[in-house]
Amino acid sequence: MTDISTRVPHVMSSPGGRRRRNGGRPRVGTVAAFLTPFFLPFLLFYVVPVGYALWQSLRVVRRTGGQYGTSYTAFGGFEQYAQVFQNTEFWASIGRIGLFGIVQVPVMLFIALIMALLLDTPLLRLKAFFRITAFMPYAVPGVIAAIMWSYLYSPQLSPVVDLLEGIGWQPDFLGPGAVLWSAANVSTWLWTGYNMLIMYAALQAIPQELYEAAKLDGAGQWTIAWRIKVPIIAPAIVLTTVFSIIGTLQLYAEPAVLRQISSNISSTFTPNMLAYAVASGNNYQQAAAISVVIAVITFVLSFGFMRLTSKKAGL
């Protein structure tokens, strides 16, 4: 009979034995190999640019020798931020984007929610067709979408304007009172399908037993939708709201394209457009400070909304 004790060293010296002695913990090299493909691009394309923007925002341009002297950059502390907070154009752009978000985000998410609920109901036919159709605008780049809608807004080219004028209405989609909402319409068209898909995916994860129990209690489709589905997918609704808040503060493509055909959109119409205009004037330090302030406002609004909804949900 073979002595079992003679086999123990062999087992303990095997790779499996070494893993057991380490408590099943993976090796550092293996963990690094899996994490490097994520952290390396994250470091190069996110952390480094953000750090550089922060550093630039603390720099100022000094000039020596009068008007025809030489200029150099030096550490200026929060001087650039003081100029940002004193800039009336910056606060005007914040006001416009705030009004944009207060109106556009709830409207877009409400439409997305209704569409997701309709796709989830058993009464709707051709679900795959409607799902793809609703999501297709998201596949269109923002600049291309803005160009398409600018054609529909243009009084000289738009068949929509001609049709409305034919029934006695004189629309001015690019007028001073409507151009902001024309840009909001483009954003809504682009992002509603994306938000709908997130909500629809959350609806698909709800157990069917809940619906069957509700039907046994006499609940109809409307009651099931608003009393069961909507409360359960509330985290998905919060997620899409946070994404929408971030996207609102980053608004650039739609008004920048519409500016080519409308004199009612200035180069400082949104905070991002203001930062770009300032950078185009070679004032990179001031543009960096504006960008940092926008990022801080975005973080505060997003985190504040998440905290508020968590408290209401008792989390």
Side-chain angles (χ1 to χ4, degrees):
M1 179 180 293
T2 305
D3 187 0
I4 298 177
S5 61
T6 60
R7 301 169 56 189
V8 173
H10 173 71
V11 173
M12 296 301 295
S13 63
S14 65
R18 285 195 295 270
R19 285 197 294 270
R20 283 193 292 272
R21 286 204 306 271
N22 292 332
R25 291 177 295 178
R27 296 179 179 179
V28 176
T30 304
V31 175
F34 279 103
L35 295 181
T36 298
F38 167 76
F39 279 107
L40 187 59
F42 179 78
L43 179 66
L44 292 177
F45 301 110
Y46 185 81
V47 176
V48 172
V50 169
Y52 183 71
L54 285 170
W55 170 246
Q56 283 291 330
S57 68
L58 300 175
R59 310 277 288 176
V60 293
V61 178
R62 306 293 189 195
R63 184 176 294 276
T64 60
Q67 181 179 0
Y68 300 100
T70 60
S71 60
Y72 64 96
T73 57
F75 182 78
F78 294 100
E79 183 176 331
Q80 296 290 357
Y81 293 98
Q83 295 181 19
V84 172
F85 292 127
Q86 296 170 4
N87 191 339
T88 57
E89 291 182 336
F90 173 76
W91 292 114
S93 67
I94 289 292
R96 276 188 291 268
I97 211 67
L99 179 62
F100 179 98
I102 290 173
V103 176
Q104 189 267 343
V105 170
V107 170
M108 175 183 64
L109 295 183
F110 180 75
I111 296 174
L113 177 61
I114 295 298
M115 293 171 63
L117 292 172
L118 288 174
L119 284 175
D120 194 58
T121 180
L123 303 178
L124 184 66
R125 305 300 179 188
L126 301 175
K127 290 185 180 182
F129 170 77
F130 287 110
R131 184 169 63 248
I132 294 174
T133 303
F135 187 72
M136 280 180 62
Y138 176 69
V140 180
V143 174
I144 303 301
I147 293 174
M148 291 168 50
W149 279 97
S150 65
Y151 167 76
L152 296 176
Y153 291 149
S154 175
Q156 294 80 21
L157 302 173
S158 174
V160 176
V161 173
D162 292 339
L163 179 62
L164 294 175
E165 288 178 347
I167 60 176
W169 187 33
Q170 302 294 327
D172 187 7
F173 296 115
L174 302 175
V179 69
L180 179 65
W181 310 119
S182 296
N185 178 62
V186 180
S187 296
T188 303
W189 182 80
L190 271 172
W191 293 97
T192 298
Y194 172 82
N195 294 306
M196 176 213 69
L197 203 62
I198 295 177
M199 298 178 190
Y200 180 68
L203 287 170
Q204 295 298 294
I206 299 177
Q208 295 296 317
E209 292 79 5
L210 292 177
Y211 303 151
E212 295 173 0
K215 291 177 182 178
L216 290 176
D217 290 337
Q221 291 296 329
W222 179 266
T223 303
I224 292 174
W226 295 108
R227 296 294 182 88
I228 297 178
K229 294 182 178 181
V230 173
I232 291 178
I233 68 168
I237 298 175
V238 171
L239 179 65
T240 55
T241 304
V242 171
F243 286 166
S244 300
I245 292 173
I246 295 173
T248 297
L249 270 297
Q250 294 178 347
L251 184 68
Y252 179 84
E254 293 85 346
V257 172
L258 293 178
R259 183 170 179 259
Q260 307 302 316
I261 60 172
S262 175
S263 59
N264 295 305
I265 298 180
S266 64
S267 60
T268 61
F269 194 75
T270 68
N272 269 0
M273 292 179 67
L274 173 62
Y276 179 79
V278 172
S280 299
N282 295 327
N283 192 350
Y284 302 114
Q285 295 77 20
Q286 181 71 21
I290 294 173
S291 301
V292 171
V293 172
I294 295 172
V296 171
I297 293 175
T298 303
F299 173 79
V300 170
L301 291 177
S302 303
F303 184 75
F305 178 80
M306 293 183 67
R307 290 282 295 179
L308 178 63
T309 53
S310 297
K311 287 182 179 180
K312 287 187 175 181
L315 300 177

